Amino acid sequence: MTVQGGVIDGKYEVVRELSREGHVTLSEVRAGEGVTRRLAWFDVTSPAARQGFHAYRAALRAVNPAGLTDVVARPGAYYAVWQPVSGLPLEEVAAQPRKDEEVVQGVQALAAALATHGYALPDADVAVDGKEVRVAYLRPAPEGRTPEEVQRLNAAALAALGGGRIKRKRQPGAWLTFVPGLVFLGGAVYLGAQAAQVYLNPPVREVASVTGQPGQQAARTLTDAGFRVEYTLGDASGVDVGAVIRQDPAAGTNLPVGRLVTLTVNNPPSVPVPRLEELSLTQARAALRDGALVPGKIIRADGTLTKTPEGRVIAQVPEAGATIERGQPVSLIVSTGVRGKETYLPNLTGLEYEDARETIRLAGLVVTRVVQQPSDAAENTILDQTPAPYVRVAVGSPVTLTVATARYSPPAEPAGSLPLPPPPVIPEPEETEDPSGEGAAPAEPPGETAPAPEAPTETPTPVTPPESVPEETAPTDPEAAEPEAVPDATRTVNFRYEFPADLPAGTYTISVRDADGERQVDGPYSGADLAGAVAESDPADPLTVRGDAVIVIRRDGEEYATVTP
């Protein structure tokens, strides 16, 4: 039940709940000026329940209950309001030894009116005020009740009423009935003589043309001219119901006064109203055209409560199964769509990007843009977000994140010259003994000058640092030790996805998820428009992605399917 602050529909204050039977809740409410009423609220959540309420309302119209003060039927509010009715309950009247004939006839007529709509006397709280039979309250009939069951229930209720004596209606002045008989006899003698004269020598008049006129007007024209009129029923298209299609004899015929003129009146057979709920407007118009009916007033209404997709019929008037004349209009209520659910984000500032992205995914939103901003904050943490924290947005809405990157700052002073390494130490050459045993090298031959020894070629050799000086090693950077990461390459992809013919109702979007996050590339679309359709990228304009990519099909913000391009 839609109750805000204990008030139904903004005008009935709930005092207490009286009973609950199936999908109907009966409550005691307080209406304007403090008067107390009973309100029967129908929980309508499906087309079958809505059809049942329309049948209930048709039964109310048939019996015109004295206790009914208000009945409302619109999306989101289906209820009837009842007031107290004075009189004796029908059970007490049935227990009386004598009953008035008019009361018994009134109850029988009420039972017949209820039976035509699938209801029986036990479904109604009946009160008898004097000789007037009143309906104080009508309970909804259970689903699946058969006409045989209705007849059995009515027979049992009427049998209880038929016990005891029936007080017949007395006709006043019955003893004077012979006086009109004498008057009638005298008048008959006089009129018989006049009629015989007219019959033997009647005047002749021309039959007027009444084709196309309403039946009553045509009959009045002919009877004023002295003719007798008889109706027959016919069927013709393009002529108003109740208008004269043809006349016999034809117009212009000279006919003695008092002769019979037969008028054929247009009375096409009734046609059943087809079921139009859940159909698109185009399908509903086609169904009406096939059934010899026309669309009436079309009203647009929100389809969130009944979960009816955009463009589909929520309800119709008259309801499905009713019989109306051919060519009559049928009004339709068409859905404007199902509003998406709302959600919000907490404050993401300071979170790592991956943690923030997971929070956004759990909230039913999609990261579509990432802005990098130099900052002193920890790298790859969130600096700002759109939408702002705790602002309610529709599920599936895009999210923009501002992520911190390292700030570059040049050194305050230029670096000086780096120290040079110490010069290499050249080892002294060692003297080796002659293997022949002669201790000294042979002298130079006389008269020859020995050439100057060539300077030895300097070759760098490792320098062993002194033990007192610790060996200096360059600090190892873990990030420098690892090979530099190669950024994900940018590429173009194509995709193709065929939606199933039985695609569930909802609002669908197409997004691409890659190294830059997830972004919407197409939509939104209604599920009714996508059922059986094929979604594919334009070969002349493929999608540009970075790194690994996947195509995401979302329904009402939730992931429905994925496609690897």
Side-chain angles (χ1 to χ4, degrees):
M1 184 184 298
T2 304
V3 179
Q4 296 182 354
V7 178
I8 298 177
D9 214 8
K11 55 184 178 179
Y12 296 108
E13 180 184 357
V14 178
V15 177
R16 61 193 177 99
E17 182 177 312
L18 299 176
S19 65
R20 185 186 297 268
E21 298 180 8
H23 63 282
V24 181
T25 302
L26 184 63
S27 303
E28 181 180 340
V29 298
R30 185 176 291 109
E33 301 179 358
V35 296
T36 302
R37 297 285 187 266
R38 290 190 301 170
L39 188 145
W41 178 274
F42 290 73
D43 187 13
V44 177
T45 58
S46 65
R50 185 165 54 250
Q51 181 67 26
F53 181 82
H54 289 312
Y56 176 74
R57 187 174 60 173
L60 294 179
R61 291 175 179 171
V63 300
N64 191 21
L68 183 65
T69 62
D70 191 10
V71 59
V72 174
R74 67 171 184 272
Y78 296 86
Y79 62 88
V81 182
W82 300 85
Q83 65 180 352
V85 174
S86 60
L88 290 175
L90 183 61
E91 293 78 7
E92 296 184 14
V93 175
Q96 293 178 351
R98 297 184 62 185
K99 295 104 178 168
D100 286 331
E101 182 182 17
E102 295 181 21
V103 173
V104 175
Q105 292 176 350
V107 175
Q108 292 173 345
L110 175 61
L114 290 173
T116 58
H117 296 275
Y119 285 77
L121 277 176
D123 298 327
D125 291 344
V126 181
V128 179
D129 186 12
K131 297 182 181 180
E132 182 181 0
V133 179
R134 297 180 172 184
V135 176
Y137 177 64
L138 182 64
R139 285 173 287 276
E143 296 182 4
R145 175 180 284 178
T146 62
E148 292 76 12
E149 185 177 359
V150 171
Q151 185 178 3
R152 179 180 56 80
L153 293 173
N154 282 336
L158 293 175
L161 187 66
R165 298 176 58 187
I166 304 298
K167 185 179 179 181
R168 304 295 178 184
K169 184 177 179 182
R170 180 176 296 177
Q171 301 294 334
W175 61 278
L176 296 176
T177 53
F178 70 95
V179 175
L182 293 176
V183 175
F184 177 76
L185 181 58
V189 173
Y190 172 77
L191 293 177
Q194 296 295 324
Q197 174 141 1
V198 171
Y199 182 77
L200 294 175
N201 191 21
V204 176
R205 293 179 183 174
E206 183 179 344
V207 178
S209 175
V210 294
T211 303
Q213 296 181 11
Q216 292 183 349
Q217 179 181 342
R220 189 179 303 111
T221 300
L222 295 174
T223 54
D224 290 346
F227 300 111
R228 293 183 296 117
V229 175
E230 183 182 63
Y231 290 115
T232 61
L233 301 179
D235 181 11
S237 59
V239 180
D240 294 339
V241 176
V244 176
I245 303 173
R246 54 185 173 272
Q247 62 185 84
D248 184 26
T253 303
N254 291 323
L255 192 69
V257 172
R259 294 297 179 87
L260 181 65
V261 178
T262 302
L263 301 179
T264 303
V265 179
N266 188 27
N267 184 34
S270 298
V271 293
V273 178
R275 183 181 183 277
L276 306 175
E277 295 171 356
E278 307 296 337
L279 298 182
S280 66
L281 192 55
T282 301
Q283 293 171 334
R285 284 173 173 162
L288 290 174
R289 184 173 59 252
D290 295 341
L293 300 173
V294 297
K297 187 176 182 180
I298 297 176
I299 302 173
R300 304 281 178 174
D302 182 25
T304 302
L305 186 63
T306 57
K307 297 181 175 60
T308 305
E310 181 181 2
R312 300 282 174 166
V313 176
I314 299 176
Q316 63 186 86
V317 178
E319 59 272 11
T323 55
I324 59 177
E325 300 293 339
R326 186 174 55 192
Q328 296 300 306
V330 177
S331 300
L332 303 174
I333 300 178
V334 180
S335 170
T336 58
V338 178
R339 291 180 298 179
K341 298 179 181 178
E342 292 186 343
T343 185
Y344 63 88
L345 289 176
N347 190 352
L348 305 177
T349 304
L351 292 180
E352 291 284 341
Y353 171 75
E354 291 299 330
D355 295 337
R357 182 176 175 182
E358 179 64 15
T359 302
I360 293 170
R361 186 189 69 80
L362 293 176
L365 303 179
V366 181
V367 177
T368 58
R369 187 183 178 203
V370 178
V371 179
Q372 295 183 343
Q373 177 177 319
S375 173
D376 294 330
E379 189 173 1
N380 209 34
T381 58
I382 305 302
L383 300 176
D384 194 12
Q385 66 188 83
T386 302
Y390 306 109
V391 174
R392 301 192 70 85
V393 295
V395 170
S397 298
V399 177
T400 301
L401 295 178
T402 302
V403 181
T405 58
R407 188 191 300 276
Y408 168 76
S409 58
E413 297 180 359
S417 301
L418 297 177
L420 297 176
V425 177
I426 303 174
E428 294 291 337
E430 298 180 359
E431 295 183 359
T432 59
E433 296 182 357
D434 187 5
S436 62
E438 298 179 2
E444 296 292 334
E448 294 183 6
T449 304
E454 296 181 0
T457 302
E458 295 183 1
T459 58
T461 58
V463 178
T464 304
E467 294 181 359
S468 60
V469 179
E471 182 179 359
E472 296 183 1
T473 59
T476 59
D477 187 356
E479 295 183 359
E482 298 178 358
E484 183 178 357
V486 179
D488 293 326
T490 300
R491 59 195 179 95
T492 59
V493 297
N494 291 297
F495 77 95
R496 186 179 188 276
Y497 178 75
E498 182 175 354
F499 289 90
D502 56 348
L503 186 69
T507 302
Y508 289 81
T509 59
I510 302 176
S511 305
V512 60
R513 185 192 300 153
D514 59 2
D516 293 330
E518 184 171 332
R519 59 189 181 277
Q520 183 174 323
V521 297
D522 204 358
Y525 296 105
S526 170
D529 299 330
L530 293 179
V534 175
E536 58 183 344
S537 58
D538 186 0
D541 186 18
L543 297 175
T544 302
V545 299
R546 191 166 67 86
D548 295 335
V550 64
I551 305 302
V552 181
I553 313 296
R554 292 189 176 274
R555 171 178 174 262
D556 294 335
E558 300 292 334
E559 186 173 301
Y560 176 75
T562 58
V563 181
T564 302

